């Protein structure tokens, strides 16, 4: 997402239909321009009401604007919410907010503070900006308001956010989908008279805004809440509330949400189905990021057992349990593959499990693109066999970002099944590197970075690239020539791995240095860093170990660039620590090692004159100044209450 995009503000929509809850996605409207799609009920000034009343009575009731579903079918709409046609067909009934006839706020507003006019702006700052479809492809979801957050926990990072400032949740029921665009334009819907949300409601919104983009398996909010009226999904909602509560201060209710979720998922009468696996997934991810890895692994083991018992990995499961609903079928497929990815991530970053699900032969359909899932336009699923044969079959098939994420974690599984290497020239290492390189080289142009075709952040490709870089470090680090002992105290995510130093950089060293630098650069993407999966914490820690091991060398070329990468990693970990305590532990360890390396190098420089042989006085001063600067910045970043720039 381009951080230069203008901030979207909300303005009143006269005659807008009453909305009890706002849809988080919209259907496409064929044959209409973005301007036409943004038109809603026309604005009517208060002075014109009396003049038009007689004509309105004579002409009979009129509909100021049709809903999107009726407009797309060129049918007459009665303007109700939902309209009679949508109610009869059980379709989503949505209206697009309009600003036709609006000429800005009046110069002399009414003296009566309770009196509202069609031209008055609801924003306290008097902004005359209006809700619209930004480029007909940008959703405008809401984030928690400032009042919802405890300053001691830190604010979620909004650097590069398209919102300009943290939006409020109270006026909109939307969630962050930065990759939603194209034909499925987001609809901004308003309800100025909606009562303040309760904490459980705000937690659900927080879940969809922060947690959901990294693990998009549950149904979109409106669909899920609608389904919860017909079947017992309280265990899933309880898990979602707890996960959402991690991102802002809710006091003792957070513990209540967690206790309820744990009690419900292990209740004797709970249905053993895909919804139960979804609830367990949410809980184990949250626990893992909260430094409760043992509990997380216990739930992961239970979720794996249930998924295998019910056959969630089989192609027929989604069809037989999807109730003929393509979106529910897609959600069930996503549940299996997200469990598969999470199992691999836990095994890779903690090195405490063996990626059990990698050995399950699955024929479940691969997930579709995120905007297709949110809009409900689910295509025919493709399968792993299609993915593996795409180069040789000659078929031009397009696979989703989620599918490339699955393919990336499969490479991790292959690597974990390699026998222990006893010498650097082991053919197994070369074969594994071929898998990693092939994954990168055969990416289509649209998947080579973490942006989709609309230049919006693609979290699934972000994770896919992240996993690939992490695999490269794990594969080559044991054979590299970077002594890992200087970073032995960085063990927040995994035990220290001993790597002996060599005389010079070899190919394996080059691989891990390149991968570690690529991971650090991922911090700079224009997206709130707390909305990434929490596993990014451990991948950043792996990258930091490589950087610190290299910085500890006697002499390093491009020393300043390396210090800046360390600074990026520590700043990112510090920001993630506002939500995930595991990131706080990792940032403290990385900072401590960086300070120790700095002190050791400084002492060597001061006490050993031969260190500076061949350096000019200007180079010596520059190097010392750079060291002082980077350590000062690291210390400043980790002071309580300090946020990352």
């Amino acid at each position: 997402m381009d951080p230069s995009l203008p901030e979207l503000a909300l303005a009143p929509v006269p005659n807008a239909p009453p909305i009890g809850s706002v849809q988080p996605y919209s259907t496409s409207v064929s044959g209409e321009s973005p301007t036409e799609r943004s038109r809603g009920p026309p604005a009517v000034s208060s002075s014109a009401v009396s003049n038009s009343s007689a004509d309105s009575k004579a002409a009979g009731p009129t509909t100021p604007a049709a809903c999107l579903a009726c407009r797309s079918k060129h049918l007459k709409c009665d303007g109700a919410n939902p309209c009679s046609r949508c109610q009869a067909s059980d379709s989503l009934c949505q209206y697009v907010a309009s600003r036709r006839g609006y000429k800005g706020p009046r110069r002399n507003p009414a003296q009566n503070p309770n009196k509202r006019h069609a031209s008055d702006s609801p924003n306290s700052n008097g902004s005359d900006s209006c809700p619209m479809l930004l480029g007909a492809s940008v959703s405008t979801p809401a984030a928690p308001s400032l009042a919802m957050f405890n300053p001691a926990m830190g604010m979620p990072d909004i650097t590069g956010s398209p919102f300009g400032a943290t939006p409020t949740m109270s006026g909109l029921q939307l969630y962050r989908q930065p990759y939603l665009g194209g034909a499925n334009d987001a609809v901004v819907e308003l309800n100025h008279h909606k009562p303040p949300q309760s904490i459980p409601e705000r937690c659900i919104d927080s879940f969809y805004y922060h947690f959901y983009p990294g693990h998009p398996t549950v149904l979109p909010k409106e669909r899920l809440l609608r389904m919860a009226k017909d079947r017992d999904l309280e265990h899933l909602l309880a898990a979602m509330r707890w996960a959402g509560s991690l991102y802002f201060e809710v006091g003792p209710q957070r513990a209540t949400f967690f206790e309820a979720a744990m009690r419900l998922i292990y209740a004797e009468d709970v249905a053993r189905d895909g919804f139960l696996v979804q609830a367990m997934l949410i809980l184990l991810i949250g626990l893992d990021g909260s430094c409760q890895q043992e509990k997380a692994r216990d739930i992961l083991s239970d979720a794996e057992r249930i998924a295998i018992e019910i056959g969630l990995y089989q192609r027929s499961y989604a069809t037989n349990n999807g109730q003929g609903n393509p979106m529910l079928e897609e959600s069930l497929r996503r549940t299996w593959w997200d469990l598969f990815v999470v199992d691999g991530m836990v095994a890779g970053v903690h090195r405490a499990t063996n990626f059990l699900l990698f050995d399950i032969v699955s024929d479940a359909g691969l997930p579709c693109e995120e905007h297709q899932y949110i809009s409900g336009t689910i295509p025919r699923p493709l399968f792993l066999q299609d993915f593996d044969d795409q180069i040789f079959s000659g078929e031009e098939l397009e696979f989703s970002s989620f599918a490339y994420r699955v393919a990336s974690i499969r490479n991790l599984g292959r690597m974990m099944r390699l026998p222990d290497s006893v010498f650097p020239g082991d053919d197994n290492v070369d074969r594994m590197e071929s898998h990693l390189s092939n994954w990168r080289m055969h990416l289509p142009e649209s998947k080579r970075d973490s942006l989709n075709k609309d230049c919006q952040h693609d979290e699934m490709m972000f994770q896919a690239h992240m996993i690939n870089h992490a695999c490269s470090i794990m594969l080559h680090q044991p054979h590299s020539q970077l002594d890992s002992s200087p970073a032995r105290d960085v063990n927040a995510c995994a035990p220290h791995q001993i790597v002996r130093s060599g005389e010079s950089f070899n190919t394996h060293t080059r691989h891990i240095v390149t991968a570690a630098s690529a991971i650090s650069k991922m911090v700079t993407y224009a997206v709130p860093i707390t909305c990434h999966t929490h596993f990014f914490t451990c991948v950043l820690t792996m990258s930091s170990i490589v950087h610190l091991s290299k910085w500890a060398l006697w002499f390093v070329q491009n020393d300043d660039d390396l210090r800046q990468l360390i600074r990026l990693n520590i700043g990112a970990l510090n920001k993630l620590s506002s939500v995930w305590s595991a990131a706080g532990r990792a940032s403290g360890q990385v900072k401590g090692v960086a300070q120790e390396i700095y002190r050791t190098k400084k002492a060597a420089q001061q006490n050993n004159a031969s260190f500076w042989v061949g350096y000019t006085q200007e180079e010596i001063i520059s190097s010392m100044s750079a060291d002082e600067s980077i350590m000062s910045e690291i210390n400043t970043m980790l002071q309580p209450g300090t946020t990352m720039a």
Side-chain angles (χ1 to χ4, degrees):
M1 175 67 68
D2 187 349
S4 65
L5 292 176
E7 177 182 354
L8 300 183
L10 303 178
V13 183
N15 298 333
I19 300 169
S21 60
V22 181
Q23 306 296 336
Y25 55 87
S26 68
T27 56
S28 61
V29 184
S30 59
E32 295 181 355
S33 68
T35 303
E36 290 170 333
R37 285 197 298 270
S38 66
R39 291 177 183 168
V44 181
S45 65
S46 58
S47 61
V49 173
S50 59
N51 295 334
S52 61
S53 59
D55 295 337
S56 299
K57 292 178 181 178
T62 60
T63 303
C67 69
L68 292 181
C70 292
R71 289 167 63 184
S72 64
K73 300 174 183 177
H74 305 288
L75 298 174
K76 185 175 180 180
C77 181
D78 60 16
N81 185 28
C83 72
S84 57
R85 294 183 185 278
C86 290
Q87 192 170 19
S89 60
D90 195 26
S91 302
L92 293 173
C93 191
Q94 301 170 321
Y95 294 84
V96 181
S98 172
R99 293 280 288 176
R100 288 182 64 185
Y102 178 62
K103 298 180 180 180
R106 294 186 175 181
R107 295 181 180 272
N108 298 313
Q111 297 300 319
N112 185 353
N114 297 321
K115 186 176 181 179
R116 297 297 300 270
H117 294 275
S119 60
D120 291 338
S121 171
N123 299 322
S124 60
N125 60 2
S127 171
D128 61 351
S129 58
C130 63
M132 63 182 71
L133 299 180
L134 185 57
S137 63
V138 179
S139 61
T140 57
S145 63
L146 297 177
M148 293 167 57
F149 291 88
N150 181 354
M153 295 183 63
M155 286 290 294
D157 185 11
I158 58 171
T159 304
S161 170
F163 311 121
T166 307
T168 62
M169 278 188 183
S170 58
L172 295 174
Q173 180 259 309
L174 296 167
Y175 54 89
R176 189 178 73 92
Q177 278 298 338
Y179 34 71
L180 179 59
N184 304 298
D185 299 312
V187 178
V188 178
E189 300 188 67
L190 306 178
N191 186 357
H192 298 297
H193 305 292
K194 183 178 179 179
Q197 288 181 305
S198 64
I199 288 181
E201 290 174 327
R202 289 158 62 187
C203 288
I204 294 295
D205 280 349
S206 176
F207 170 87
Y208 276 106
Y209 182 84
H210 292 104
F211 190 97
Y212 175 87
H215 299 277
T217 59
V218 301
L219 287 167
K221 181 179 176 181
E222 281 303 309
R223 295 293 181 106
L224 182 66
L225 295 183
R226 188 185 307 169
M227 185 170 290
K229 296 178 181 179
D230 300 325
R231 60 187 301 170
D232 183 13
L233 297 180
E234 187 56 32
H235 56 302
L236 175 57
L237 294 173
M240 293 165 63
R241 293 186 194 106
W242 175 71
S245 74
L246 297 174
Y247 296 89
F248 66 100
E249 182 55 47
V250 298
Q253 288 201 52
R254 180 178 299 160
T256 302
F257 292 148
F258 179 74
E259 291 169 2
M262 290 294 292
R263 173 174 49 80
L264 290 169
I265 67 171
Y266 285 109
E268 292 184 0
D269 58 344
V270 67
R272 300 165 71 86
D273 56 13
F275 294 109
L276 177 59
V277 176
Q278 289 177 355
M280 288 182 158
L281 253 176
I282 293 167
L283 289 174
L284 75 90
I285 292 169
L287 286 170
D288 190 79
S290 302
C291 289
Q292 299 188 56
Q293 281 87 10
E294 289 297 330
K295 271 187 183 178
R297 286 196 287 270
D298 288 343
I299 297 177
L300 173 61
S301 177
D302 294 335
E304 290 171 338
R305 186 179 66 256
I306 293 171
I308 294 171
E309 286 177 359
I310 65 177
L312 188 61
Y313 61 93
Q314 296 173 344
R315 180 184 304 195
S316 59
Y317 184 86
T319 304
N320 295 338
N321 295 274
Q323 304 173 7
N325 184 336
M327 187 173 283
L328 178 55
E329 293 178 10
E330 172 69 10
S331 177
L332 295 174
R333 291 191 290 267
R334 285 168 169 260
T335 303
W336 164 254
W337 288 119
D338 201 53
L339 179 63
F340 182 84
V341 170
V342 169
D343 187 23
M345 285 184 176
V346 170
V349 300
H350 298 311
R351 303 174 192 178
T353 58
N354 64 352
F355 197 175
L356 171 69
L357 297 186
F358 178 76
D359 298 320
I360 301 297
V361 179
S362 172
D363 62 351
L366 292 171
C368 62
E369 294 286 12
E370 302 312 298
H371 69 86
Q372 294 173 325
Y373 180 45
I374 297 300
S375 67
T377 55
I378 311 298
R380 180 185 67 83
L382 298 172
F383 301 89
L384 278 180
Q385 191 67 41
D386 299 320
F387 189 93
D388 293 336
D389 296 342
Q390 60 180 315
I391 300 298
F392 310 103
S393 65
E395 295 183 76
E396 294 293 333
L397 300 175
E398 293 187 9
F399 293 90
S400 69
S401 298
F402 204 132
Y404 284 100
R405 175 179 178 239
V406 170
S408 189
I409 206 72
R410 286 174 75 207
N411 283 336
L412 174 63
R414 293 187 180 103
M415 184 180 66
M416 294 186 69
R417 295 299 183 267
L418 291 178
D420 292 336
S421 301
V422 295
F423 55 90
D426 192 338
D427 290 342
N428 287 325
V429 177
D430 294 335
R431 281 195 291 270
M432 192 61 237
E433 177 55 40
S434 296
H435 282 291
L436 298 178
S437 297
N438 274 325
W439 183 89
R440 292 190 296 267
M441 288 190 298
H442 292 289
L443 287 174
E445 191 65 30
S446 61
K447 305 294 182 184
R448 304 229 166 163
D449 54 33
S450 298
L451 294 176
N452 64 17
K453 63 182 180 180
D454 297 313
C455 292
Q456 297 168 336
H457 178 70
D458 187 338
E459 177 66 19
M460 293 296 96
M461 281 311 300
F462 178 92
Q463 292 185 30
H465 286 287
M466 176 192 80
I467 294 167
N468 188 268
H469 297 319
C471 285
S472 187
I473 292 176
M474 294 172 63
L475 176 67
H476 293 286
Q477 190 175 29
H479 307 296
S480 72
Q481 292 178 307
L482 279 182
D483 183 5
S484 65
S485 60
R488 59 185 173 274
D489 292 334
V490 182
N491 54 17
C493 291
H496 169 66
Q497 187 175 18
I498 299 175
V499 179
R500 304 299 180 188
S501 61
E503 296 180 356
S504 61
F505 277 16
N506 58 14
T507 303
H508 300 288
T509 307
R510 187 176 186 85
H511 275 295
I512 67 172
V513 168
T514 300
S517 299
I519 291 168
S520 297
K521 291 174 183 176
M522 297 179 81
V523 175
T524 64
Y525 293 172
V527 64
I529 195 168
T530 53
C531 290
H532 293 311
T533 177
H534 93 275
F535 291 109
F536 190 40
T537 292
C538 289
V539 175
L540 281 169
T541 305
M542 295 169 62
S543 168
S544 300
I545 291 173
V546 176
H547 292 329
L548 293 170
S549 299
K550 183 179 178 182
W551 193 33
L553 295 176
W554 188 257
F555 170 74
V556 181
Q557 290 182 334
N558 301 321
D559 196 39
D560 184 61
D561 292 343
L562 179 59
R563 287 189 292 255
Q564 293 306 319
L565 293 177
I566 295 173
R567 178 178 183 260
L568 270 176
N569 283 16
I570 294 178
L573 290 171
N574 187 43
K575 177 56 63 177
L576 286 165
S577 68
S578 66
V579 177
W580 305 112
S581 54
R585 178 186 297 178
S587 66
Q589 292 179 353
V590 173
K591 173 194 172 184
V593 170
Q595 290 175 328
E596 180 63 29
I597 291 174
Y598 166 71
R599 286 191 290 265
T600 302
K601 293 187 73 171
K602 187 174 182 180
Q605 294 168 5
Q606 292 174 344
N607 301 328
N608 190 346
S610 63
F611 180 87
W612 299 111
V613 173
Y615 285 83
T616 66
Q617 184 175 7
E618 182 180 353
E619 290 172 334
I620 293 174
I621 295 174
S622 175
S623 179
M624 288 184 172
S625 175
D627 282 340
E628 293 284 358
S629 174
I630 190 66
M631 291 313 302
S632 175
E633 290 173 344
I634 289 173
N635 287 328
T636 300
M637 281 190 295
L638 293 179
Q639 293 299 320
T642 303
T643 58
M644 181 181 175

